[in-house]
Amino acid sequence: MKRVMLFLGIFLWVIGLTACTVQETPPTETIETTAEATTSETETQPNAALMRDNILIAATDVMGDSIHPFFSNAGASLWAEEMIFEGLLESDADGRLKPMLAETYRISEDGLTYTFYLNPEIRFQDGTPLTAQDVVFTYTALADPNYEGSLRAFADALSGVTAYRSGETETLSGVTAVNEWTVQFVFDTADITRLDGFVLGILPAHVYAYKNWTNFEAGGISPVGTGPMVFESQDEDHIYLKANADYHGGSVQIAGVTLSRMKADAALAEYSQGTVDVACVSGDEATALARPVYAFGELYTIPGKSVVGIGFNFANPIFQDEKTRRALSYAIDDKAFARAQWGNESAATSVLIGSDHWAYTAESAALAPVFSMEEAQVLLDEAGWTEVDENGIRGRDGLPLEIKLYTFSDVGWAYNLGRYAVDQWRQLGADASLVIVDYETLLQTVFTDRSADAWCIGLEGSVLLNPGSFFKTEGIYNAGGYSNPDMDDALGSLAGTYDTDGVNESAFIEATTDWISIILSDLPYDFIARPLSQCFVNERVQNFSGSAYRDWPLNIKDMTIDYLSEDGE
């Protein structure tokens, strides 16, 4: 998923607000983690989906915001945006960035200037040629002082943005058209992780030009991009797309796509009847539904980019002690929680990079905490926490080991993780209690007031990993007050891992291994799992694929559909 609610650095980190069902008792059914053919007693019957035409029907339980690269962030609207719009760059399945609308790009030796050379053959879906002026318009709009969305931090880094936002100048000096097919970006500081910002879908200036921000944000415009699917219409529960007959990437085999909003149980029922081709639900919903086994299809389990866990506030003396933090981390069995919450212990992780990312190394995970209540007890003993009352509560220097863990009830994993962690910590001798608030209150308490002892959190990342906003000493979202000069240096090294052709992969891997090792040593957060999503896909759909770094709609051009023609062939 390309965008989320907060764009922090270029590496996106957010409280994970994924639509799912709150479960009082997490289920324990196991769900397979790889695509596999399903079977049933009705497998000998004809596949009903073959009777439908060359239109792919996909269902999810969220419609999301407007179909717009600046504002789409979830559900069907995000899927539609991914099929309609394209950026200068795109991500492949393992997180590498490669040219899309740009044929090539170059980075200056000082890392401040990025020059993109557009493909002059590309046209928008209304037949208008894509030019450098459209790119300038898109990123200038991104720098509008009224924009508060997930991509704002990218614009913050552009040269001249302060003067532009204050009205001192009518043009943004950080983005210029060198000629009709060449556009240049200039930044005030070098940071290769900003490269991720160039996946933003490019808007045609002649369609989206606005006189005031309210009109631009309100939408009311039929989406127009350069992608393989063209917008047709939309109602409360559906988005209708058709193939772009003049797509620059070649022939599109699927005639159209219908995106439908359905609750998870309804989507799976429709899928089982052959009236929905793709039914995607979050992993915990699939588990909670105790799904039957369906014929004529495959189940794809796709890990997300987000990692969920618990943050610690270093302003509280309890969490200033590394042994105490480590003990609390050792007390949580991440595999048991992942198995209960998502039906699969493979979701468990303590590392802020998936093994499916190109920069992952086994060394990155070497220091990850391992569940052991015995070791947790030993660490608390070594940290000086001893029993101080008949209930087994520990204390030190006259103060109890008291922890108030904040969580939010909007989503299942956050609620269940909070309950589980508090129960485990009580077994250690902590006077632990759970404070359940709504999502907005949690944001206020953690990031503005910074008054929570600890909190359940979901951090979602882009394809280039720069968590500086959370882990740098002066990071704007470093709510826990974590500070380590070695971490600041490691993140500084990460920003400099570029050469004139893009990312210097060997240097990037080395820097990534360094900062992840520091995180796992210091444990300012205890990360537990990567949430999973489940997509049930009818076998008539060919070449379906998706990953944490490339959502399945981005592969729509390569997909085909089997169906019966009028003569039964």
Short mmCIF file of all heavy atoms in Angstrom, two decimals, residues 60-121:
data_model
loop_
_atom_site.label_atom_id
_atom_site.label_comp_id
_atom_site.label_asym_id
_atom_site.label_seq_id
_atom_site.Cartn_x
_atom_site.Cartn_y
_atom_site.Cartn_z
N THR A 60 -13.71 -5.57 -1.19
CA THR A 60 -13.05 -5.26 0.08
C THR A 60 -14.07 -4.56 0.95
O THR A 60 -15.13 -4.14 0.48
CB THR A 60 -11.80 -4.38 -0.13
OG1 THR A 60 -11.15 -4.19 1.13
CG2 THR A 60 -12.17 -3.03 -0.72
N ASP A 61 -13.77 -4.42 2.25
CA ASP A 61 -14.79 -3.87 3.15
C ASP A 61 -14.67 -2.36 3.35
O ASP A 61 -15.44 -1.78 4.11
CB ASP A 61 -14.73 -4.58 4.51
CG ASP A 61 -13.38 -4.44 5.19
OD1 ASP A 61 -12.45 -3.91 4.56
OD2 ASP A 61 -13.25 -4.88 6.34
N VAL A 62 -13.74 -1.70 2.68
CA VAL A 62 -13.55 -0.26 2.84
C VAL A 62 -13.60 0.41 1.47
O VAL A 62 -12.94 -0.04 0.53
CB VAL A 62 -12.19 0.04 3.51
CG1 VAL A 62 -11.95 1.54 3.61
CG2 VAL A 62 -12.13 -0.60 4.89
N MET A 63 -14.37 1.49 1.36
CA MET A 63 -14.40 2.25 0.11
C MET A 63 -13.25 3.24 0.07
O MET A 63 -12.63 3.44 -0.98
CB MET A 63 -15.73 2.98 -0.05
CG MET A 63 -15.84 3.79 -1.34
SD MET A 63 -15.54 2.84 -2.87
CE MET A 63 -16.97 1.77 -2.89
N GLY A 64 -12.90 3.85 1.18
CA GLY A 64 -11.77 4.78 1.23
C GLY A 64 -12.14 6.18 0.79
O GLY A 64 -13.30 6.52 0.57
N ASP A 65 -11.11 7.03 0.67
CA ASP A 65 -11.29 8.43 0.31
C ASP A 65 -11.40 8.59 -1.20
O ASP A 65 -11.56 7.62 -1.93
CB ASP A 65 -10.13 9.26 0.86
CG ASP A 65 -10.04 9.20 2.38
OD1 ASP A 65 -11.10 9.07 3.02
OD2 ASP A 65 -8.92 9.25 2.91
N SER A 66 -11.30 9.81 -1.68
CA SER A 66 -11.42 10.09 -3.10
C SER A 66 -10.30 9.40 -3.89
O SER A 66 -9.24 9.09 -3.35
CB SER A 66 -11.37 11.59 -3.35
OG SER A 66 -10.13 12.12 -2.91
N ILE A 67 -10.55 9.17 -5.17
CA ILE A 67 -9.57 8.52 -6.03
C ILE A 67 -8.59 9.60 -6.49
O ILE A 67 -8.78 10.25 -7.51
CB ILE A 67 -10.26 7.85 -7.23
CG1 ILE A 67 -11.34 6.88 -6.75
CG2 ILE A 67 -9.23 7.13 -8.09
CD1 ILE A 67 -12.22 6.34 -7.86
N HIS A 68 -7.56 9.79 -5.71
CA HIS A 68 -6.63 10.90 -5.93
C HIS A 68 -5.29 10.53 -5.31
O HIS A 68 -5.24 10.07 -4.18
CB HIS A 68 -7.19 12.17 -5.26
CG HIS A 68 -6.51 13.44 -5.65
ND1 HIS A 68 -5.18 13.69 -5.37
CD2 HIS A 68 -6.96 14.54 -6.30
CE1 HIS A 68 -4.86 14.88 -5.82
NE2 HIS A 68 -5.91 15.42 -6.39
N PRO A 69 -4.17 10.73 -6.02
CA PRO A 69 -2.87 10.35 -5.47
C PRO A 69 -2.53 11.04 -4.15
O PRO A 69 -1.76 10.49 -3.36
CB PRO A 69 -1.89 10.77 -6.57
CG PRO A 69 -2.68 10.74 -7.82
CD PRO A 69 -4.06 11.18 -7.42
N PHE A 70 -3.09 12.22 -3.89
CA PHE A 70 -2.79 12.94 -2.66
C PHE A 70 -3.59 12.42 -1.48
O PHE A 70 -3.15 12.56 -0.33
CB PHE A 70 -3.12 14.43 -2.82
CG PHE A 70 -2.17 15.21 -3.69
CD1 PHE A 70 -1.42 14.60 -4.67
CD2 PHE A 70 -2.05 16.57 -3.52
CE1 PHE A 70 -0.56 15.33 -5.48
CE2 PHE A 70 -1.20 17.31 -4.32
CZ PHE A 70 -0.46 16.69 -5.30
N PHE A 71 -4.76 11.85 -1.74
CA PHE A 71 -5.70 11.60 -0.65
C PHE A 71 -6.14 10.15 -0.51
O PHE A 71 -6.66 9.78 0.53
CB PHE A 71 -6.94 12.48 -0.84
CG PHE A 71 -6.63 13.94 -1.02
CD1 PHE A 71 -6.89 14.58 -2.21
CD2 PHE A 71 -6.04 14.66 0.01
CE1 PHE A 71 -6.60 15.92 -2.39
CE2 PHE A 71 -5.74 16.01 -0.15
CZ PHE A 71 -6.02 16.64 -1.35
N SER A 72 -5.97 9.31 -1.53
CA SER A 72 -6.38 7.91 -1.41
C SER A 72 -5.49 7.20 -0.40
O SER A 72 -4.27 7.31 -0.47
CB SER A 72 -6.26 7.21 -2.77
OG SER A 72 -7.09 7.82 -3.73
N ASN A 73 -6.09 6.48 0.52
CA ASN A 73 -5.25 5.81 1.52
C ASN A 73 -5.75 4.43 1.93
O ASN A 73 -5.10 3.78 2.74
CB ASN A 73 -5.09 6.69 2.77
CG ASN A 73 -6.40 6.99 3.46
OD1 ASN A 73 -7.40 6.32 3.24
ND2 ASN A 73 -6.40 8.02 4.29
N ALA A 74 -6.87 3.97 1.39
CA ALA A 74 -7.36 2.67 1.84
C ALA A 74 -8.41 2.14 0.88
O ALA A 74 -9.07 2.90 0.16
CB ALA A 74 -7.94 2.79 3.26
N GLY A 75 -8.57 0.83 0.91
CA GLY A 75 -9.70 0.17 0.29
C GLY A 75 -9.81 0.35 -1.21
O GLY A 75 -8.83 0.49 -1.94
N ALA A 76 -11.07 0.35 -1.67
CA ALA A 76 -11.35 0.37 -3.10
C ALA A 76 -10.83 1.63 -3.78
O ALA A 76 -10.37 1.58 -4.93
CB ALA A 76 -12.86 0.23 -3.33
N SER A 77 -10.90 2.78 -3.12
CA SER A 77 -10.42 4.01 -3.76
C SER A 77 -8.92 3.96 -3.99
O SER A 77 -8.42 4.46 -5.01
CB SER A 77 -10.79 5.23 -2.92
OG SER A 77 -10.09 5.24 -1.68
N LEU A 78 -8.18 3.35 -3.07
CA LEU A 78 -6.73 3.20 -3.27
C LEU A 78 -6.45 2.23 -4.42
O LEU A 78 -5.57 2.49 -5.25
CB LEU A 78 -6.07 2.71 -1.99
CG LEU A 78 -4.57 2.45 -2.08
CD1 LEU A 78 -3.81 3.70 -2.48
CD2 LEU A 78 -4.03 1.90 -0.76
N TRP A 79 -7.18 1.13 -4.47
CA TRP A 79 -7.01 0.20 -5.59
C TRP A 79 -7.24 0.90 -6.92
O TRP A 79 -6.47 0.73 -7.86
CB TRP A 79 -7.99 -0.97 -5.45
CG TRP A 79 -7.67 -1.94 -4.37
CD1 TRP A 79 -6.55 -1.97 -3.59
CD2 TRP A 79 -8.48 -3.04 -3.95
NE1 TRP A 79 -6.61 -3.02 -2.72
CE2 TRP A 79 -7.79 -3.69 -2.91
CE3 TRP A 79 -9.72 -3.53 -4.35
CZ2 TRP A 79 -8.30 -4.82 -2.27
CZ3 TRP A 79 -10.24 -4.64 -3.71
CH2 TRP A 79 -9.54 -5.28 -2.68
N ALA A 80 -8.32 1.69 -7.00
CA ALA A 80 -8.62 2.40 -8.24
C ALA A 80 -7.52 3.40 -8.57
O ALA A 80 -7.08 3.50 -9.73
CB ALA A 80 -9.97 3.12 -8.11
N GLU A 81 -7.07 4.13 -7.58
CA GLU A 81 -5.99 5.11 -7.80
C GLU A 81 -4.74 4.43 -8.34
O GLU A 81 -4.07 4.95 -9.24
CB GLU A 81 -5.70 5.85 -6.49
CG GLU A 81 -4.69 6.97 -6.61
CD GLU A 81 -3.33 6.53 -6.15
OE1 GLU A 81 -3.23 5.93 -5.07
OE2 GLU A 81 -2.36 6.78 -6.89
N GLU A 82 -4.43 3.25 -7.82
CA GLU A 82 -3.23 2.53 -8.28
C GLU A 82 -3.34 2.07 -9.72
O GLU A 82 -2.32 1.91 -10.41
CB GLU A 82 -2.98 1.34 -7.35
CG GLU A 82 -2.54 1.75 -5.96
CD GLU A 82 -2.42 0.57 -5.00
OE1 GLU A 82 -3.18 -0.40 -5.16
OE2 GLU A 82 -1.57 0.63 -4.11
N MET A 83 -4.56 1.85 -10.20
CA MET A 83 -4.74 1.41 -11.59
C MET A 83 -4.90 2.58 -12.56
O MET A 83 -4.70 2.41 -13.77
CB MET A 83 -5.95 0.48 -11.68
CG MET A 83 -5.71 -0.89 -11.04
SD MET A 83 -7.07 -2.07 -11.27
CE MET A 83 -8.10 -1.68 -9.85
N ILE A 84 -5.25 3.76 -12.06
CA ILE A 84 -5.49 4.92 -12.92
C ILE A 84 -4.25 5.80 -13.05
O ILE A 84 -3.94 6.30 -14.14
CB ILE A 84 -6.67 5.75 -12.38
CG1 ILE A 84 -7.97 4.95 -12.47
CG2 ILE A 84 -6.80 7.08 -13.12
CD1 ILE A 84 -9.14 5.59 -11.75
N PHE A 85 -3.51 5.97 -11.95
CA PHE A 85 -2.39 6.91 -11.93
C PHE A 85 -1.05 6.17 -11.88
O PHE A 85 -0.96 5.06 -11.37
CB PHE A 85 -2.50 7.84 -10.72
CG PHE A 85 -3.69 8.75 -10.75
CD1 PHE A 85 -4.88 8.40 -10.14
CD2 PHE A 85 -3.62 9.98 -11.40
CE1 PHE A 85 -5.99 9.22 -10.18
CE2 PHE A 85 -4.71 10.82 -11.44
CZ PHE A 85 -5.90 10.45 -10.83
N GLU A 86 -0.02 6.84 -12.38
CA GLU A 86 1.34 6.31 -12.32
C GLU A 86 2.30 7.43 -11.96
O GLU A 86 2.04 8.60 -12.21
CB GLU A 86 1.74 5.72 -13.67
CG GLU A 86 0.92 4.50 -14.06
CD GLU A 86 1.19 4.03 -15.48
OE1 GLU A 86 1.36 4.90 -16.36
OE2 GLU A 86 1.24 2.81 -15.71
N GLY A 87 3.44 7.05 -11.37
CA GLY A 87 4.44 8.02 -10.95
C GLY A 87 5.67 7.98 -11.84
O GLY A 87 5.78 7.15 -12.75
N LEU A 88 6.60 8.85 -11.53
CA LEU A 88 7.87 8.84 -12.25
C LEU A 88 8.59 7.52 -12.04
O LEU A 88 9.27 7.01 -12.94
CB LEU A 88 8.75 10.00 -11.77
CG LEU A 88 8.20 11.40 -12.04
CD1 LEU A 88 9.07 12.45 -11.35
CD2 LEU A 88 8.11 11.68 -13.53
N LEU A 89 8.42 6.94 -10.83
CA LEU A 89 9.01 5.65 -10.49
C LEU A 89 7.92 4.71 -10.00
O LEU A 89 6.82 5.13 -9.66
CB LEU A 89 10.08 5.82 -9.40
CG LEU A 89 11.24 6.77 -9.65
CD1 LEU A 89 12.15 6.82 -8.43
CD2 LEU A 89 12.02 6.39 -10.90
N GLU A 90 8.25 3.43 -9.93
CA GLU A 90 7.37 2.43 -9.33
C GLU A 90 8.21 1.44 -8.55
O GLU A 90 9.42 1.32 -8.77
CB GLU A 90 6.54 1.71 -10.39
CG GLU A 90 7.36 0.88 -11.35
CD GLU A 90 6.51 0.05 -12.28
OE1 GLU A 90 5.29 -0.08 -12.04
OE2 GLU A 90 7.06 -0.50 -13.25
N SER A 91 7.57 0.72 -7.65
CA SER A 91 8.27 -0.30 -6.87
C SER A 91 8.01 -1.68 -7.45
O SER A 91 6.91 -1.97 -7.92
CB SER A 91 7.77 -0.26 -5.42
OG SER A 91 8.27 -1.36 -4.69
N ASP A 92 9.03 -2.54 -7.41
CA ASP A 92 8.79 -3.92 -7.78
C ASP A 92 8.41 -4.72 -6.53
O ASP A 92 8.26 -4.16 -5.44
CB ASP A 92 9.96 -4.52 -8.54
CG ASP A 92 11.24 -4.62 -7.69
OD1 ASP A 92 11.16 -4.47 -6.46
OD2 ASP A 92 12.31 -4.84 -8.29
N ALA A 93 8.26 -6.02 -6.67
CA ALA A 93 7.71 -6.85 -5.60
C ALA A 93 8.56 -6.88 -4.35
O ALA A 93 8.05 -7.07 -3.25
CB ALA A 93 7.48 -8.27 -6.10
N ASP A 94 9.88 -6.69 -4.46
CA ASP A 94 10.74 -6.75 -3.27
C ASP A 94 11.20 -5.38 -2.80
O ASP A 94 12.08 -5.27 -1.96
CB ASP A 94 11.93 -7.68 -3.49
CG ASP A 94 12.88 -7.19 -4.57
OD1 ASP A 94 12.62 -6.14 -5.18
OD2 ASP A 94 13.91 -7.86 -4.78
N GLY A 95 10.59 -4.31 -3.34
CA GLY A 95 10.87 -2.98 -2.81
C GLY A 95 11.87 -2.16 -3.59
O GLY A 95 12.17 -1.03 -3.20
N ARG A 96 12.38 -2.66 -4.69
CA ARG A 96 13.31 -1.86 -5.51
C ARG A 96 12.51 -0.86 -6.34
O ARG A 96 11.46 -1.20 -6.89
CB ARG A 96 14.15 -2.74 -6.42
CG ARG A 96 15.27 -3.47 -5.71
CD ARG A 96 16.10 -4.28 -6.69
NE ARG A 96 17.31 -4.82 -6.06
CZ ARG A 96 17.36 -5.96 -5.40
NH1 ARG A 96 16.26 -6.69 -5.27
NH2 ARG A 96 18.49 -6.38 -4.87
N LEU A 97 13.04 0.36 -6.47
CA LEU A 97 12.39 1.38 -7.28
C LEU A 97 12.98 1.38 -8.68
O LEU A 97 14.20 1.25 -8.86
CB LEU A 97 12.57 2.76 -6.63
CG LEU A 97 11.81 2.95 -5.32
CD1 LEU A 97 12.26 4.22 -4.62
CD2 LEU A 97 10.31 2.98 -5.57
N LYS A 98 12.11 1.53 -9.67
CA LYS A 98 12.56 1.53 -11.07
C LYS A 98 11.73 2.56 -11.84
O LYS A 98 10.65 2.97 -11.41
CB LYS A 98 12.40 0.14 -11.67
CG LYS A 98 10.96 -0.39 -11.64
CD LYS A 98 10.88 -1.81 -12.15
CE LYS A 98 9.44 -2.32 -12.16
NZ LYS A 98 9.35 -3.71 -12.64
N PRO A 99 12.23 3.01 -13.00
CA PRO A 99 11.51 4.03 -13.77
C PRO A 99 10.13 3.56 -14.23
O PRO A 99 9.93 2.39 -14.55
CB PRO A 99 12.43 4.27 -14.97
CG PRO A 99 13.79 3.89 -14.49
CD PRO A 99 13.56 2.72 -13.56
N MET A 100 9.18 4.51 -14.27
CA MET A 100 7.86 4.25 -14.81
C MET A 100 7.57 5.30 -15.89
O MET A 100 7.84 5.09 -17.05
CB MET A 100 6.80 4.26 -13.70
CG MET A 100 5.36 4.26 -14.19
SD MET A 100 4.93 3.04 -15.44
CE MET A 100 4.77 1.57 -14.47
N LEU A 101 7.06 6.48 -15.52
CA LEU A 101 6.83 7.53 -16.50
C LEU A 101 8.16 8.15 -16.95
O LEU A 101 8.24 8.72 -18.05
CB LEU A 101 5.92 8.61 -15.93
CG LEU A 101 4.52 8.14 -15.53
CD1 LEU A 101 3.70 9.30 -14.99
CD2 LEU A 101 3.81 7.47 -16.70
N ALA A 102 9.15 8.08 -16.11
CA ALA A 102 10.49 8.52 -16.49
C ALA A 102 11.20 7.36 -17.18
O ALA A 102 11.12 6.21 -16.73
CB ALA A 102 11.27 8.97 -15.27
N GLU A 103 11.88 7.66 -18.27
CA GLU A 103 12.69 6.63 -18.92
C GLU A 103 13.96 6.38 -18.11
O GLU A 103 14.39 5.23 -17.94
CB GLU A 103 13.06 7.06 -20.34
CG GLU A 103 11.89 7.03 -21.30
CD GLU A 103 12.31 7.34 -22.72
OE1 GLU A 103 13.15 8.25 -22.92
OE2 GLU A 103 11.80 6.68 -23.64
N THR A 104 14.56 7.45 -17.62
CA THR A 104 15.76 7.36 -16.79
C THR A 104 15.75 8.53 -15.80
O THR A 104 14.95 9.47 -15.92
CB THR A 104 17.06 7.45 -17.62
OG1 THR A 104 17.06 8.70 -18.33
CG2 THR A 104 17.14 6.30 -18.62
N TYR A 105 16.67 8.47 -14.83
CA TYR A 105 16.87 9.61 -13.93
C TYR A 105 18.31 9.61 -13.47
O TYR A 105 19.00 8.60 -13.52
CB TYR A 105 15.90 9.56 -12.74
CG TYR A 105 16.16 8.45 -11.75
CD1 TYR A 105 16.93 8.67 -10.61
CD2 TYR A 105 15.62 7.17 -11.95
CE1 TYR A 105 17.16 7.65 -9.70
CE2 TYR A 105 15.85 6.15 -11.04
CZ TYR A 105 16.62 6.39 -9.92
OH TYR A 105 16.86 5.39 -9.02
N ARG A 106 18.76 10.78 -13.01
CA ARG A 106 20.13 10.93 -12.53
C ARG A 106 20.11 11.73 -11.23
O ARG A 106 19.26 12.61 -11.03
CB ARG A 106 21.00 11.66 -13.55
CG ARG A 106 21.13 10.95 -14.88
CD ARG A 106 21.97 9.71 -14.80
NE ARG A 106 23.39 10.01 -14.64
CZ ARG A 106 24.32 9.08 -14.48
NH1 ARG A 106 23.99 7.81 -14.43
NH2 ARG A 106 25.59 9.43 -14.36
N ILE A 107 21.07 11.43 -10.36
CA ILE A 107 21.25 12.16 -9.10
C ILE A 107 22.61 12.85 -9.15
O ILE A 107 23.61 12.24 -9.56
CB ILE A 107 21.17 11.21 -7.89
CG1 ILE A 107 19.83 10.48 -7.87
CG2 ILE A 107 21.38 11.99 -6.59
CD1 ILE A 107 19.72 9.43 -6.78
N SER A 108 22.64 14.11 -8.76
CA SER A 108 23.91 14.84 -8.77
C SER A 108 24.86 14.26 -7.73
O SER A 108 24.45 13.57 -6.78
CB SER A 108 23.67 16.32 -8.47
OG SER A 108 23.10 16.49 -7.18
N GLU A 109 26.15 14.53 -7.89
CA GLU A 109 27.15 13.97 -7.00
C GLU A 109 26.97 14.43 -5.56
O GLU A 109 27.33 13.71 -4.63
CB GLU A 109 28.56 14.33 -7.50
CG GLU A 109 28.93 13.61 -8.80
CD GLU A 109 30.37 13.86 -9.19
OE1 GLU A 109 31.09 14.54 -8.43
OE2 GLU A 109 30.77 13.37 -10.26
N ASP A 110 26.41 15.63 -5.36
CA ASP A 110 26.18 16.11 -3.99
C ASP A 110 24.85 15.61 -3.42
O ASP A 110 24.51 15.89 -2.27
CB ASP A 110 26.25 17.64 -3.91
CG ASP A 110 25.20 18.34 -4.75
OD1 ASP A 110 24.31 17.65 -5.31
OD2 ASP A 110 25.26 19.58 -4.87
N GLY A 111 24.09 14.86 -4.21
CA GLY A 111 22.85 14.28 -3.73
C GLY A 111 21.68 15.23 -3.59
O GLY A 111 20.63 14.85 -3.08
N LEU A 112 21.82 16.45 -4.10
CA LEU A 112 20.78 17.46 -3.92
C LEU A 112 19.83 17.59 -5.10
O LEU A 112 18.71 18.08 -4.94
CB LEU A 112 21.42 18.83 -3.63
CG LEU A 112 22.31 18.92 -2.38
CD1 LEU A 112 22.88 20.33 -2.24
CD2 LEU A 112 21.53 18.53 -1.13
N THR A 113 20.27 17.19 -6.29
CA THR A 113 19.48 17.41 -7.50
C THR A 113 19.14 16.08 -8.17
O THR A 113 20.02 15.25 -8.41
CB THR A 113 20.25 18.30 -8.49
OG1 THR A 113 20.58 19.54 -7.86
CG2 THR A 113 19.41 18.58 -9.72
N TYR A 114 17.85 15.89 -8.44
CA TYR A 114 17.35 14.71 -9.13
C TYR A 114 16.77 15.16 -10.47
O TYR A 114 15.88 16.02 -10.50
CB TYR A 114 16.25 14.02 -8.32
CG TYR A 114 16.72 13.37 -7.04
CD1 TYR A 114 17.27 14.11 -5.99
CD2 TYR A 114 16.58 11.99 -6.85
CE1 TYR A 114 17.68 13.51 -4.82
CE2 TYR A 114 16.99 11.38 -5.68
CZ TYR A 114 17.54 12.15 -4.66
OH TYR A 114 17.95 11.55 -3.50
N THR A 115 17.24 14.60 -11.56
CA THR A 115 16.77 14.96 -12.89
C THR A 115 16.10 13.75 -13.53
O THR A 115 16.69 12.67 -13.63
CB THR A 115 17.94 15.44 -13.77
OG1 THR A 115 18.62 16.52 -13.12
CG2 THR A 115 17.42 15.93 -15.12
N PHE A 116 14.85 13.95 -13.96
CA PHE A 116 14.06 12.87 -14.56
C PHE A 116 13.81 13.18 -16.04
O PHE A 116 13.44 14.30 -16.40
CB PHE A 116 12.72 12.70 -13.83
CG PHE A 116 12.86 12.16 -12.45
CD1 PHE A 116 13.12 12.99 -11.38
CD2 PHE A 116 12.74 10.80 -12.22
CE1 PHE A 116 13.26 12.48 -10.09
CE2 PHE A 116 12.87 10.28 -10.94
CZ PHE A 116 13.13 11.13 -9.88
N TYR A 117 14.01 12.17 -16.88
CA TYR A 117 13.82 12.30 -18.32
C TYR A 117 12.59 11.50 -18.70
O TYR A 117 12.59 10.26 -18.65
CB TYR A 117 15.06 11.79 -19.05
CG TYR A 117 16.33 12.50 -18.61
CD1 TYR A 117 17.11 11.97 -17.57
CD2 TYR A 117 16.73 13.70 -19.20
CE1 TYR A 117 18.27 12.61 -17.15
CE2 TYR A 117 17.89 14.35 -18.78
CZ TYR A 117 18.65 13.80 -17.76
OH TYR A 117 19.78 14.44 -17.33
N LEU A 118 11.52 12.20 -19.07
CA LEU A 118 10.23 11.56 -19.33
C LEU A 118 10.21 10.83 -20.66
O LEU A 118 10.92 11.19 -21.61
CB LEU A 118 9.12 12.60 -19.32
CG LEU A 118 8.98 13.47 -18.07
CD1 LEU A 118 7.82 14.44 -18.23
CD2 LEU A 118 8.78 12.61 -16.83
N ASN A 119 9.34 9.83 -20.72
CA ASN A 119 9.06 9.14 -21.97
C ASN A 119 8.14 10.03 -22.81
O ASN A 119 6.99 10.25 -22.44
CB ASN A 119 8.39 7.80 -21.68
CG ASN A 119 8.08 7.00 -22.92
OD1 ASN A 119 8.08 7.52 -24.03
ND2 ASN A 119 7.78 5.72 -22.73
N PRO A 120 8.61 10.55 -23.94
CA PRO A 120 7.80 11.51 -24.72
C PRO A 120 6.59 10.88 -25.40
O PRO A 120 5.74 11.61 -25.93
CB PRO A 120 8.80 12.05 -25.76
CG PRO A 120 9.82 10.97 -25.91
CD PRO A 120 9.94 10.33 -24.55
N GLU A 121 6.47 9.55 -25.38
CA GLU A 121 5.36 8.88 -26.05
C GLU A 121 4.14 8.73 -25.14
O GLU A 121 3.07 8.33 -25.62
CB GLU A 121 5.80 7.50 -26.54
CG GLU A 121 6.98 7.52 -27.50
CD GLU A 121 6.67 8.33 -28.74
OE1 GLU A 121 5.55 8.23 -29.26
OE2 GLU A 121 7.57 9.08 -29.19
#
